[in-house]
Coordinates of all heavy atoms in Angstrom, one line a residue:
M1 N 23.0 13.8 -14.8 CA 22.6 14.3 -13.5 C 23.8 15.3 -13.1 O 24.9 15.0 -13.4 CB 22.5 13.2 -12.6 CG 22.3 13.5 -11.2 SD 21.8 12.2 -10.1 CE 20.1 12.5 -9.8
T2 N 23.3 16.2 -12.3 CA 24.3 17.2 -11.9 C 25.3 16.6 -10.9 O 26.5 17.0 -10.8 CB 23.6 18.4 -11.1 OG1 22.6 18.9 -12.0 CG2 24.6 19.5 -10.7
Y3 N 24.9 15.6 -10.2 CA 25.8 14.9 -9.2 C 26.0 13.5 -9.5 O 25.4 12.6 -9.0 CB 25.3 15.0 -7.8 CG 25.0 16.5 -7.4 CD1 23.8 17.1 -7.5 CD2 26.0 17.2 -6.8 CE1 23.5 18.4 -7.1 CE2 25.8 18.6 -6.5 CZ 24.6 19.1 -6.6 OH 24.4 20.4 -6.2
P4 N 27.0 13.2 -10.5 CA 27.1 11.8 -10.9 C 27.6 10.8 -9.9 O 27.4 9.7 -10.1 CB 28.1 11.9 -12.1 CG 28.8 13.2 -11.8 CD 27.9 14.1 -11.1
N5 N 28.3 11.3 -9.0 CA 28.8 10.3 -7.9 C 27.9 10.2 -6.6 O 28.2 9.6 -5.7 CB 30.1 10.8 -7.4 CG 31.2 10.6 -8.5 OD1 31.3 9.6 -9.1 ND2 32.0 11.7 -8.8
T6 N 26.6 10.7 -6.7 CA 25.7 10.6 -5.7 C 25.2 9.2 -5.6 O 24.9 8.5 -6.6 CB 24.4 11.5 -5.9 OG1 24.9 12.9 -5.9 CG2 23.4 11.3 -4.8
H7 N 25.2 8.6 -4.3 CA 24.6 7.3 -4.1 C 23.1 7.3 -4.2 O 22.4 8.1 -3.6 CB 25.0 6.8 -2.6 CG 24.5 5.5 -2.4 ND1 23.8 5.2 -1.2 CD2 24.5 4.4 -3.1 CE1 23.5 3.9 -1.1 NE2 23.9 3.4 -2.3
I8 N 22.6 6.4 -5.1 CA 21.2 6.4 -5.4 C 20.7 5.0 -5.2 O 21.3 4.0 -5.5 CB 20.9 6.7 -7.0 CG1 21.4 8.1 -7.4 CG2 19.5 6.5 -7.3 CD1 20.5 9.2 -6.9
V9 N 19.5 4.9 -4.6 CA 18.9 3.6 -4.4 C 17.4 3.8 -5.0 O 16.7 4.7 -4.7 CB 18.7 3.2 -2.9 CG1 18.0 1.8 -2.8 CG2 20.1 3.1 -2.2
L10 N 17.2 2.9 -5.9 CA 15.9 2.9 -6.6 C 15.1 1.6 -6.0 O 15.5 0.5 -6.1 CB 15.9 2.7 -8.1 CG 16.7 3.7 -8.9 CD1 16.8 3.4 -10.3 CD2 16.0 5.0 -8.7
Y11 N 13.9 1.9 -5.4 CA 13.1 0.9 -4.8 C 11.9 0.7 -5.7 O 11.4 1.6 -6.4 CB 12.5 1.3 -3.5 CG 13.6 1.4 -2.4 CD1 14.3 2.6 -2.0 CD2 13.9 0.3 -1.6 CE1 15.2 2.6 -1.1 CE2 15.0 0.3 -0.6 CZ 15.5 1.5 -0.4 OH 16.5 1.6 0.6
D12 N 11.4 -0.5 -5.7 CA 10.2 -0.9 -6.4 C 8.9 -0.3 -5.6 O 8.6 -0.8 -4.6 CB 10.0 -2.3 -6.7 CG 8.7 -2.7 -7.5 OD1 8.0 -1.8 -7.8 OD2 8.6 -3.9 -7.7
G13 N 8.4 0.8 -6.2 CA 7.3 1.4 -5.5 C 5.9 1.1 -6.2 O 5.0 1.9 -6.1
S14 N 5.9 0.0 -6.9 CA 4.7 -0.4 -7.7 C 3.5 -0.5 -6.8 O 2.3 -0.4 -7.2 CB 4.9 -1.6 -8.4 OG 6.0 -1.4 -9.4
S15 N 3.8 -0.8 -5.5 CA 2.6 -1.0 -4.6 C 2.0 0.3 -4.1 O 0.9 0.3 -3.6 CB 3.1 -1.7 -3.3 OG 3.9 -1.0 -2.6
G16 N 2.7 1.4 -4.5 CA 2.2 2.7 -4.1 C 2.7 3.1 -2.7 O 2.3 4.2 -2.2
I17 N 3.4 2.2 -2.0 CA 3.8 2.5 -0.6 C 5.4 2.6 -0.7 O 6.1 1.8 -1.2 CB 3.4 1.3 0.3 CG1 1.9 1.2 0.3 CG2 4.0 1.5 1.7 CD1 1.4 0.0 1.1
A18 N 5.9 3.7 -0.1 CA 7.2 4.0 0.0 C 7.8 3.5 1.4 O 7.7 4.1 2.4 CB 7.6 5.4 -0.2
K19 N 8.4 2.2 1.4 CA 8.9 1.7 2.6 C 10.4 1.2 2.3 O 10.6 0.7 1.1 CB 8.0 0.5 3.1 CG 6.8 1.0 3.6 CD 5.7 -0.1 4.0 CE 6.5 -1.3 4.6 NZ 5.5 -2.4 4.9
L20 N 11.2 1.1 3.3 CA 12.6 0.7 3.0 C 12.7 -0.8 2.8 O 13.7 -1.3 2.3 CB 13.5 1.1 4.2 CG 13.7 2.6 4.4 CD1 14.5 2.9 5.7 CD2 14.4 3.1 3.2
D21 N 11.7 -1.6 3.1 CA 11.7 -3.0 2.8 C 11.1 -3.4 1.4 O 10.9 -4.5 1.2 CB 11.0 -3.8 3.9 CG 9.6 -3.5 4.1 OD1 9.1 -2.6 3.5 OD2 8.9 -4.2 4.9
C22 N 10.8 -2.4 0.7 CA 10.4 -2.7 -0.8 C 11.6 -3.2 -1.5 O 12.8 -2.9 -1.2 CB 10.0 -1.3 -1.5 SG 8.4 -0.7 -0.9
P23 N 11.4 -4.1 -2.6 CA 12.5 -4.6 -3.3 C 13.4 -3.5 -3.9 O 12.9 -2.5 -4.4 CB 11.9 -5.4 -4.5 CG 10.5 -5.7 -3.9 CD 10.1 -4.5 -3.0
I24 N 14.7 -3.7 -3.9 CA 15.7 -2.7 -4.4 C 15.9 -3.1 -5.9 O 16.2 -4.2 -6.3 CB 17.0 -2.7 -3.6 CG1 16.8 -2.2 -2.2 CG2 18.1 -2.0 -4.3 CD1 18.0 -2.3 -1.3
L25 N 15.8 -2.1 -6.8 CA 16.0 -2.3 -8.2 C 17.4 -1.9 -8.6 O 17.9 -2.4 -9.5 CB 15.0 -1.4 -9.1 CG 13.5 -1.7 -8.7 CD1 12.6 -0.8 -9.4 CD2 13.2 -3.2 -9.1
F26 N 17.9 -0.9 -7.9 CA 19.3 -0.4 -8.2 C 19.9 0.2 -6.9 O 19.2 0.9 -6.1 CB 19.3 0.7 -9.3 CG 20.5 1.4 -9.6 CD1 21.5 0.8 -10.4 CD2 21.0 2.5 -8.9 CE1 22.7 1.4 -10.7 CE2 22.2 3.2 -9.2 CZ 23.1 2.6 -10.0
D27 N 21.2 -0.1 -6.8 CA 21.9 0.6 -5.6 C 23.3 0.8 -6.0 O 24.1 0.0 -6.3 CB 21.9 -0.5 -4.4 CG 22.5 0.1 -3.2 OD1 23.1 1.2 -3.2 OD2 22.4 -0.6 -2.1
G28 N 23.6 2.2 -6.3 CA 24.9 2.6 -6.8 C 25.0 4.0 -7.0 O 24.2 4.8 -6.6
K29 N 26.0 4.4 -7.8 CA 26.2 5.8 -8.2 C 25.2 6.2 -9.3 O 24.9 5.4 -10.2 CB 27.6 6.0 -8.6 CG 28.6 5.6 -7.5 CD 29.6 6.7 -7.4 CE 30.6 6.2 -6.3 NZ 31.0 7.2 -5.5
S30 N 24.8 7.5 -9.2 CA 23.8 8.0 -10.2 C 24.3 7.8 -11.6 O 23.5 7.5 -12.6 CB 23.4 9.4 -9.9 OG 24.5 10.3 -10.0
K31 N 25.6 8.0 -11.9 CA 26.1 7.9 -13.2 C 26.0 6.5 -13.8 O 26.1 6.3 -15.0 CB 27.5 8.4 -13.2 CG 28.5 7.5 -12.4 CD 29.9 8.1 -12.4 CE 30.8 7.2 -11.6 NZ 32.2 7.8 -11.5
D32 N 25.8 5.5 -13.0 CA 25.7 4.1 -13.4 C 24.3 3.6 -13.6 O 24.1 2.4 -14.0 CB 26.4 3.2 -12.4 CG 27.9 3.5 -12.3 OD1 28.5 3.9 -13.3 OD2 28.5 3.5 -11.2
I33 N 23.3 4.4 -13.4 CA 21.9 3.9 -13.6 C 21.7 3.8 -15.1 O 22.1 4.6 -16.0 CB 21.0 5.1 -13.1 CG1 21.0 5.2 -11.6 CG2 19.5 4.7 -13.5 CD1 20.2 6.3 -11.1
D34 N 21.1 2.6 -15.4 CA 20.7 2.2 -16.8 C 19.5 2.9 -17.2 O 18.3 2.5 -16.7 CB 20.6 0.7 -16.9 CG 20.4 0.2 -18.3 OD1 20.0 1.1 -19.2 OD2 20.5 -1.0 -18.6
H35 N 19.5 4.0 -17.9 CA 18.4 4.8 -18.2 C 17.4 4.0 -19.1 O 16.2 4.3 -19.2 CB 18.7 6.1 -18.8 CG 19.3 7.0 -17.8 ND1 18.6 7.8 -16.9 CD2 20.6 7.2 -17.4 CE1 19.4 8.4 -16.1 NE2 20.6 8.1 -16.4
T36 N 17.9 2.9 -19.9 CA 17.0 2.2 -20.7 C 16.1 1.3 -19.8 O 14.9 1.0 -20.3 CB 17.7 1.3 -21.7 OG1 18.6 0.4 -20.9 CG2 18.6 2.1 -22.6
L37 N 16.6 1.0 -18.6 CA 15.7 0.3 -17.6 C 14.8 1.2 -16.7 O 13.6 0.9 -16.5 CB 16.5 -0.6 -16.7 CG 17.3 -1.8 -17.4 CD1 18.2 -2.4 -16.3 CD2 16.3 -2.8 -17.9
Y38 N 15.4 2.3 -16.3 CA 14.7 3.1 -15.3 C 14.4 4.5 -15.7 O 13.8 5.2 -14.9 CB 15.5 3.0 -14.0 CG 15.9 1.7 -13.5 CD1 17.2 1.2 -13.5 CD2 14.9 0.8 -13.2 CE1 17.4 0.0 -13.0 CE2 15.1 -0.5 -12.8 CZ 16.5 -0.9 -12.7 OH 16.8 -2.2 -12.2
G39 N 14.8 4.9 -16.9 CA 14.6 6.3 -17.2 C 13.2 6.9 -17.4 O 13.0 8.0 -17.2
S40 N 12.3 6.0 -17.7 CA 11.0 6.4 -17.9 C 9.9 6.1 -16.8 O 8.7 6.3 -16.9 CB 10.4 5.8 -19.3 OG 10.3 4.5 -19.2
H41 N 10.4 5.5 -15.8 CA 9.5 5.1 -14.7 C 9.0 6.3 -13.9 O 9.8 7.3 -13.7 CB 10.3 4.1 -13.7 CG 10.4 2.7 -14.2 ND1 10.6 2.5 -15.5 CD2 10.5 1.5 -13.6 CE1 10.8 1.2 -15.7 NE2 10.7 0.6 -14.6
E42 N 7.8 6.2 -13.4 CA 7.3 7.3 -12.5 C 7.8 7.3 -11.1 O 7.8 6.1 -10.4 CB 5.8 7.1 -12.5 CG 5.1 8.2 -11.7 CD 3.6 7.9 -11.6 OE1 3.0 7.1 -12.3 OE2 3.0 8.7 -10.8
I43 N 8.3 8.3 -10.7 CA 8.8 8.4 -9.2 C 7.6 8.7 -8.3 O 6.9 9.7 -8.5 CB 9.9 9.5 -9.1 CG1 11.1 9.2 -9.9 CG2 10.2 9.7 -7.6 CD1 12.1 10.3 -10.0
I44 N 7.3 7.8 -7.4 CA 6.3 8.1 -6.5 C 6.6 8.8 -5.2 O 5.8 9.4 -4.5 CB 5.4 6.8 -6.2 CG1 6.3 5.8 -5.4 CG2 4.9 6.2 -7.4 CD1 5.4 4.7 -4.8
Y45 N 7.9 8.6 -4.9 CA 8.4 9.3 -3.6 C 9.9 9.3 -3.7 O 10.6 8.4 -4.2 CB 7.9 8.5 -2.4 CG 8.4 9.2 -1.1 CD1 7.6 10.3 -0.6 CD2 9.4 8.7 -0.3 CE1 8.0 10.9 0.6 CE2 9.8 9.3 0.9 CZ 9.1 10.4 1.3 OH 9.4 11.1 2.4
S46 N 10.5 10.4 -3.1 CA 11.9 10.5 -3.1 C 12.4 11.1 -1.7 O 11.6 11.8 -1.0 CB 12.5 11.3 -4.1 OG 12.1 12.7 -4.0
A47 N 13.5 10.7 -1.2 CA 14.0 11.2 0.1 C 15.6 11.4 0.0 O 16.2 10.7 -0.8 CB 13.7 10.2 1.2
G48 N 16.0 12.4 0.6 CA 17.5 12.6 0.7 C 17.8 13.8 -0.2 O 16.8 14.5 -0.7
A49 N 19.0 14.1 -0.5 CA 19.5 15.2 -1.3 C 20.7 14.9 -2.1 O 21.7 14.3 -1.6 CB 19.8 16.4 -0.4
A50 N 20.7 15.3 -3.4 CA 21.7 14.8 -4.3 C 23.1 15.5 -3.9 O 24.1 15.0 -4.3 CB 21.4 15.2 -5.7
D51 N 23.1 16.6 -3.2 CA 24.3 17.2 -3.0 C 24.8 16.9 -1.6 O 25.7 17.5 -1.0 CB 24.2 18.7 -3.1 CG 23.2 19.4 -2.2 OD1 22.4 18.6 -1.6 OD2 23.1 20.6 -2.1
Q52 N 24.3 15.8 -1.0 CA 24.7 15.4 0.3 C 25.2 13.9 0.2 O 24.8 13.2 -0.7 CB 23.6 15.4 1.4 CG 23.1 16.8 1.6 CD 21.9 16.8 2.6 OE1 21.5 15.8 3.1 NE2 21.4 18.0 2.9
S53 N 26.2 13.6 1.1 CA 26.8 12.2 0.9 C 25.8 11.1 1.2 O 26.0 10.0 0.8 CB 28.0 12.2 1.9 OG 27.5 12.4 3.3
C54 N 24.7 11.4 1.9 CA 23.7 10.3 2.2 C 23.0 9.8 0.9 O 22.5 8.8 0.9 CB 22.7 10.7 3.2 SG 21.7 12.2 2.7
G55 N 23.0 10.7 -0.1 CA 22.4 10.3 -1.3 C 20.9 10.4 -1.4 O 20.3 11.2 -0.5
V56 N 20.3 9.8 -2.4 CA 18.8 10.0 -2.6 C 18.2 8.6 -2.7 O 18.8 7.7 -3.4 CB 18.6 10.8 -3.9 CG1 17.1 11.1 -4.0 CG2 19.4 12.1 -3.8
L57 N 17.1 8.5 -2.1 CA 16.2 7.2 -2.3 C 15.0 7.5 -3.1 O 14.4 8.6 -2.9 CB 15.8 6.7 -0.9 CG 16.9 6.6 0.2 CD1 16.2 6.2 1.5 CD2 18.0 5.7 -0.3
Y58 N 14.8 6.7 -4.1 CA 13.6 6.9 -5.0 C 12.7 5.6 -5.0 O 13.3 4.5 -5.1 CB 14.0 7.1 -6.4 CG 14.7 8.4 -6.7 CD1 16.1 8.5 -6.8 CD2 14.0 9.6 -6.8 CE1 16.7 9.7 -7.1 CE2 14.6 10.8 -7.0 CZ 16.0 10.8 -7.2 OH 16.7 12.0 -7.4
W59 N 11.5 5.8 -4.9 CA 10.6 4.7 -5.1 C 9.9 4.9 -6.4 O 9.3 5.9 -6.7 CB 9.5 4.7 -3.9 CG 10.0 4.1 -2.7 CD1 9.8 2.8 -2.2 CD2 10.8 4.8 -1.7 NE1 10.5 2.7 -1.0 CE2 11.1 3.9 -0.7 CE3 11.3 6.0 -1.6 CZ2 11.9 4.2 0.5 CZ3 12.1 6.4 -0.5 CH2 12.4 5.5 0.5
I60 N 10.0 3.9 -7.4 CA 9.5 4.2 -8.7 C 8.5 3.0 -9.0 O 8.5 1.9 -8.5 CB 10.6 4.1 -9.7 CG1 11.4 2.8 -9.7 CG2 11.5 5.4 -9.5 CD1 12.5 2.8 -10.8
K61 N 7.6 3.3 -9.9 CA 6.7 2.3 -10.4 C 7.4 1.5 -11.4 O 7.9 2.0 -12.4 CB 5.4 2.9 -11.0 CG 4.5 3.5 -10.0 CD 3.2 3.9 -10.6 CE 2.3 4.4 -9.6 NZ 1.0 4.9 -10.1
N62 N 7.5 0.2 -11.1 CA 8.3 -0.8 -12.0 C 7.3 -1.3 -13.0 O 6.5 -2.1 -12.9 CB 8.9 -1.9 -11.1 CG 9.7 -2.8 -11.9 OD1 9.9 -2.7 -13.1 ND2 10.1 -3.9 -11.3
D63 N 7.6 -0.8 -14.3 CA 6.7 -1.2 -15.4 C 7.0 -2.7 -15.9 O 6.2 -3.2 -16.7 CB 7.0 -0.3 -16.6 CG 6.6 1.1 -16.3 OD1 5.7 1.3 -15.5 OD2 7.2 2.1 -17.0
N64 N 8.0 -3.3 -15.4 CA 8.3 -4.7 -15.7 C 7.5 -5.8 -15.0 O 7.7 -6.9 -15.2 CB 9.8 -4.9 -15.6 CG 10.7 -4.0 -16.5 OD1 10.3 -3.7 -17.6 ND2 11.8 -3.6 -16.0
Q65 N 6.7 -5.3 -14.1 CA 5.9 -6.3 -13.4 C 4.5 -6.5 -13.9 O 3.9 -5.5 -14.4 CB 5.8 -5.9 -11.9 CG 7.2 -6.1 -11.2 CD 7.1 -5.9 -9.7 OE1 6.0 -5.4 -9.2 NE2 8.1 -6.2 -9.0

C-alpha cells in the first residue's frame, strides 16, 4: 500500500449494509493487515482517504462466516 501508516478499519459487511456498528475485523495500520485473512475479500463500501490522518474505513464481505 502506498500509505503503510494509514489507520485502517475493516468492518464485516457480509450483510451488505455499511454501518459503523458492524463487527470490526481489523483496526490498525495498513501495513499490519494480514493479507492471508483479508486480501481476497470483496470491498462493498469504503470511506475516508489514505493520504489523510483520519484513515480509511472498509466494509468487506467476510468469507469466514
Side-chain angles (χ1 to χ4, degrees):
M1 175 171 253
T2 305
Y3 302 97
N5 290 314
T6 297
H7 180 225
I8 299 286
V9 181
L10 300 178
Y11 291 93
D12 182 359
S14 298
S15 66
I17 298 171
K19 292 174 36 180
L20 291 176
D21 61 352
C22 290
I24 294 175
L25 303 173
F26 175 84
D27 185 349
K29 302 224 180 225
S30 64
K31 65 183 177 185
D32 298 324
I33 293 174
D34 184 343
H35 290 276
T36 60
L37 289 176
Y38 305 117
S40 64
H41 286 33
E42 178 185 351
I43 297 171
I44 65 163
Y45 184 77
S46 65
D51 60 351
Q52 297 177 5
S53 58
C54 63
V56 185
L57 310 177
Y58 292 101
W59 284 259
I60 61 176
K61 287 189 177 179
N62 183 3
D63 296 333
N64 296 326
Q65 290 186 348

